[in-house]
Amino acid sequence: MSAAERYFEDYPVGAVFTGGPLAVSEADILDFARRYDPQPMHVDKAAAEAGPFGGLIASGWHTGALMMQLFVAHFLSPASSLASPGLDELRWLKPVRPGDRLSLRVTVLTARVSRSKPDQGILTSLAELLNQDGEAVMSLKPVSLLRRRPTR
Amino acid sequence: MSAAERYFEDYPVGAVFTGGPLAVSEADILDFARRYDPQPMHVDKAAAEAGPFGGLIASGWHTGALMMQLFVAHFLSPASSLASPGLDELRWLKPVRPGDRLSLRVTVLTARVSRSKPDQGILTSLAELLNQDGEAVMSLKPVSLLRRRPTR
């Protein structure tokens, strides 16, 4: 489940990383939502079917957690991933429904060496989560703090 | 666990809503991270103790899910909560560690009636998650789509 050994230098601006698909089941949607986001559209099948989405949809935070599962497996590297200070412009674009298969596409937007810690670099990327029809269901711009490649 | 019956009109700009605390256990941190964010600082106690955080810390997406649990219980109302198109400026400010107790403070920043759907309103808020020492561990600006109060 872990990505290749990569360092800050291995993520040039414009590089694209992909991974998936990851299947989402009804049980997954219900389990996550009962604990963290127990709104009717996420936990009550009958209410969800009668509501504006016409059926159960995943919590947006569940969708984000699934994005992170793919982001750890296919973008970040255990050799260099240090932390994230945050993210910007998260958009939930389409509902995620039981049976959907989600894939990740990450494009590096900016990459700069840290001024305060010159052995670290800061990436911003565009992460897009796509369903089995190629539609973006979520997009966001995460910031990632990475180790630079060690010098010998 | 659900908030009072509230409609768009019950969230004026400047209003503050609070809730919590919610305790975070080591088992919670490990369970979430093993599934969605299996990086060493979240799933490997020995590696985390030797690393820059000096111990296990919660996945940022877990922290977000816990924020949502409080947001559903203390801010959103089942009477009016419809959906969220997204959020901006999410910041992970401090690590969340086993034993932390997290509370939520939400301040309404903007509130406007939807132009396309005049029975709905759009809120932006500042959501802050605080630990037992009153330190903000996460902040974000969610957008919430709510029903307006029905006219009789």
Side-chain angles (χ1 to χ4, degrees):
Chain A
M1 280 297 285
S2 68
E5 182 174 308
R6 294 181 189 131
Y7 292 92
F8 171 70
E9 289 78 2
D10 300 312
Y11 298 90
V13 171
V16 176
F17 299 80
T18 60
L22 190 61
V24 188
S25 73
E26 183 178 293
D28 293 338
I29 290 174
L30 292 170
D31 286 351
F32 187 101
R34 283 176 182 143
R35 178 145 195 186
Y36 298 114
D37 191 355
Q39 300 191 78
M41 67 281 235
H42 307 314
V43 298
D44 181 337
K45 205 168 166 178
E49 283 169 4
F53 295 108
L56 276 184
I57 65 170
S59 166
W61 290 93
H62 186 194
T63 307
L66 294 167
M67 187 289 303
M68 191 65 194
Q69 189 178 336
L70 293 168
F71 198 80
V72 170
H74 303 287
F75 181 72
L76 294 178
S77 168
S80 61
S81 174
L82 288 168
S84 172
L87 61 88
D88 290 291
E89 296 176 44
L90 186 155
R91 298 293 175 265
W92 288 296
L93 301 165
K94 295 250 181 195
V96 172
R97 301 178 188 275
D100 279 359
R101 297 189 311 283
L102 303 178
S103 298
L104 179 69
R105 180 171 63 207
V106 187
T107 307
V108 178
L109 298 180
T110 73
R112 70 172 179 84
V113 173
S114 167
R115 279 180 285 266
S116 58
K117 295 181 180 168
D119 60 337
Q120 300 180 8
I122 302 163
L123 293 184
T124 61
S125 57
L126 171 65
E128 296 166 289
L129 199 63
L130 311 170
N131 66 17
Q132 63 282 356
D133 299 318
E135 301 169 317
V137 298
M138 184 171 72
S139 66
L140 63 154
K141 293 181 178 170
V143 182
S144 306
L145 193 59
L146 304 183
R147 282 194 188 88
R148 295 179 73 189
R149 184 177 297 282
T151 49
R152 290 160 193 256
Chain B
M1 280 295 285
S2 67
E5 182 175 309
R6 295 181 189 130
Y7 292 91
F8 171 72
E9 289 78 2
D10 299 312
Y11 298 90
V13 171
V16 176
F17 299 80
T18 61
L22 190 61
V24 188
S25 73
E26 184 179 292
D28 293 339
I29 289 174
L30 293 170
D31 286 351
F32 187 100
R34 283 177 183 143
R35 178 146 196 186
Y36 298 114
D37 191 353
Q39 300 191 79
M41 68 280 236
H42 307 314
V43 298
D44 182 335
K45 203 166 168 179
E49 282 169 5
F53 296 108
L56 276 184
I57 64 170
S59 165
W61 290 93
H62 186 194
T63 306
L66 294 167
M67 187 289 303
M68 191 65 194
Q69 188 178 335
L70 292 168
F71 199 79
V72 170
H74 302 288
F75 181 71
L76 294 178
S77 168
S80 61
S81 174
L82 288 168
S84 171
L87 60 87
D88 290 292
E89 297 176 43
L90 187 156
R91 298 293 175 264
W92 289 296
L93 301 165
K94 295 252 180 195
V96 172
R97 301 179 188 274
D100 279 359
R101 297 189 311 282
L102 304 177
S103 298
L104 179 69
R105 179 171 62 206
V106 187
T107 307
V108 178
L109 299 179
T110 72
R112 69 172 179 84
V113 173
S114 167
R115 279 180 286 265
S116 59
K117 295 181 179 168
D119 58 338
Q120 299 180 9
I122 301 163
L123 293 184
T124 61
S125 56
L126 170 65
E128 296 166 289
L129 199 62
L130 310 169
N131 66 17
Q132 63 282 356
D133 299 318
E135 301 169 317
V137 297
M138 183 172 74
S139 65
L140 63 154
K141 293 181 179 170
V143 182
S144 305
L145 193 60
L146 305 182
R147 282 194 189 88
R148 295 180 72 190
R149 184 178 297 284
T151 49
R152 288 159 193 256

